[in-house]
């Protein structure tokens, strides 16, 4: 079965979550603060304890090592981690076009991490994730720190990646209008359950 498939997924005291996201489809998730949206993405990425099954194109996460799974199922956390001094040290391959499309010039690769604003970090973390070519995307509030123009640029780039790579996308946002724009189906996590929004 193509796409990302969650079967009886339970994590912390939340679930069971059953959901299929087709290839090239974007599903939106919203819900009150603390409802478990981040935990859902982390369970899918096999970063937190959970029960149930997660499949990508019919292959179960348990049939791969955790690093293999996380390379295929790319998680963009709400707060990105940076371990080296400069931006360029975090990128193995670079698509200058993508940098420009998110408002950066090529010299961004020489920038010190310590000088990055919250919005710059968020856009660069997205570019870093996409250059690893994940087959599915888990996005935790990917535009939370951005100005309206950057929000549009990010939405367009993710949409293009989704269509070009036919990637299933799970997009967490507190902005209902954004989810209307980017997602073909929307769900709510509340009271430890996932339901249609
Ligand atoms: N490592 C952890 N150990 C125990 N509880 C945790 C852990 N991480 C998160 N929680 C709790 O689980 C609940 C869900 O957290 P989660 O981060 O998934 O919320 P969220 O829906 O993403 O919220 P927000 O919209 O504020 O980002 C919260 O009550 C949180 O305090």
């Amino acid at each position: 079965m193509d796409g990302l498939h969650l079967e009886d997924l339970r994590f912390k005291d939340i679930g069971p979550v059953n959901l299929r996201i087709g290839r090239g489809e974007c599903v939106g998730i919203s819900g009150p603060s603390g409802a478990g949206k981040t935990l859902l993405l982390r369970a899918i990425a096999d970063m937190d304890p959970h029960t149930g099954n997660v499949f990508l194109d019919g292959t179960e996460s348990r049939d791969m090592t955790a690093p293999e799974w996380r390379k295929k199922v790319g998680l963009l956390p709400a707060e990105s981690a940076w371990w080296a001094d400069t931006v360029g040290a975090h990128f193995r391959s670079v698509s200058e076009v993508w940098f420009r499309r998110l408002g950066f010039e090529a010299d961004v690769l020489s920038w010190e991490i310590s000088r990055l604003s919250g919005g710059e970090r968020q856009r660069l973390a997205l570019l870093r994730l996409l250059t690893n070519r994940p087959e599915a995307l888990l996005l935790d509030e990917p535009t939370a720190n951005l100005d309206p123009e950057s929000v549009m640029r990010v939405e367009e780039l993710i949409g293009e990646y989704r269509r070009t790579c036919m990637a299933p996308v799970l997009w967490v946002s507190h902005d209902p209008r954004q989810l209307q724009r980017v997602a073909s189906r929307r769900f709510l996590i509340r009271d430890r359950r996932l339901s249609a929004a």
Side-chain angles (χ1 to χ4, degrees):
M1 188 68 69
D2 277 354
L4 191 64
H5 177 198
L6 317 181
E7 185 183 74
D8 285 333
L9 189 64
R10 295 173 197 258
F11 46 97
K12 209 165 165 260
D13 52 356
I14 300 168
V17 172
N18 287 285
L19 183 64
R20 275 182 200 278
I21 308 171
R23 287 183 66 89
E25 185 186 19
C26 180
V27 166
I29 302 275
S30 61
S33 185
K37 303 179 295 298
T38 296
L39 293 183
L40 169 64
L41 300 190
R42 288 181 58 86
I44 298 169
D46 200 12
M47 297 174 84
D48 278 343
H50 60 276
T51 61
N53 307 310
V54 184
F55 302 86
L56 181 64
D57 295 340
T59 303
E60 202 183 342
S61 59
R62 289 193 186 88
D63 293 337
M64 294 178 216
T65 64
E68 281 170 343
W69 178 254
R70 289 176 202 147
K71 193 168 181 331
K72 285 179 183 288
V73 179
L75 170 65
L76 182 70
E79 288 182 15
S80 53
W82 302 87
W83 49 89
D85 290 340
T86 64
V87 171
H90 295 85
F91 285 81
R92 270 180 302 179
S93 65
V94 176
S95 167
E96 276 194 28
V97 179
W98 283 3
F99 278 95
R100 279 207 211 88
R101 289 201 35 197
L102 290 195
F104 294 106
E105 298 296 332
D107 73 331
V108 68
L109 293 173
S110 65
W111 289 8
E112 294 282 326
I113 295 297
S114 55
R115 68 168 266 187
L116 298 177
S117 73
E120 287 166 348
R121 277 172 189 254
Q122 194 157 35
R123 283 176 291 150
L124 289 167
L126 173 65
L127 290 172
R128 185 178 62 187
L129 180 71
L130 296 185
T131 54
N132 290 331
R133 296 275 174 191
E135 294 174 27
L137 292 177
L138 308 173
L139 306 173
D140 199 351
E141 302 187 49
T143 62
N145 300 308
L146 303 184
D147 62 87
E149 188 189 331
S150 296
V151 170
M152 287 304 156
R153 287 174 180 233
V154 164
E155 288 180 7
E156 279 171 20
L157 187 63
I158 293 171
E160 192 177 305
Y161 186 89
R162 173 176 61 77
R163 288 187 297 273
T164 309
C165 301
M166 290 302 284
V169 177
L170 195 51
W171 188 314
V172 168
S173 175
H174 282 291
D175 180 353
R177 282 172 303 179
Q178 177 172 63
L179 292 185
Q180 288 280 353
R181 285 195 298 274
V182 301
S184 55
R185 289 186 292 147
R186 288 161 290 279
F187 293 86
L188 191 64
I189 295 191
R190 196 167 50 191
D191 301 330
R192 299 189 290 281
R193 293 179 51 239
L194 184 79
S195 53

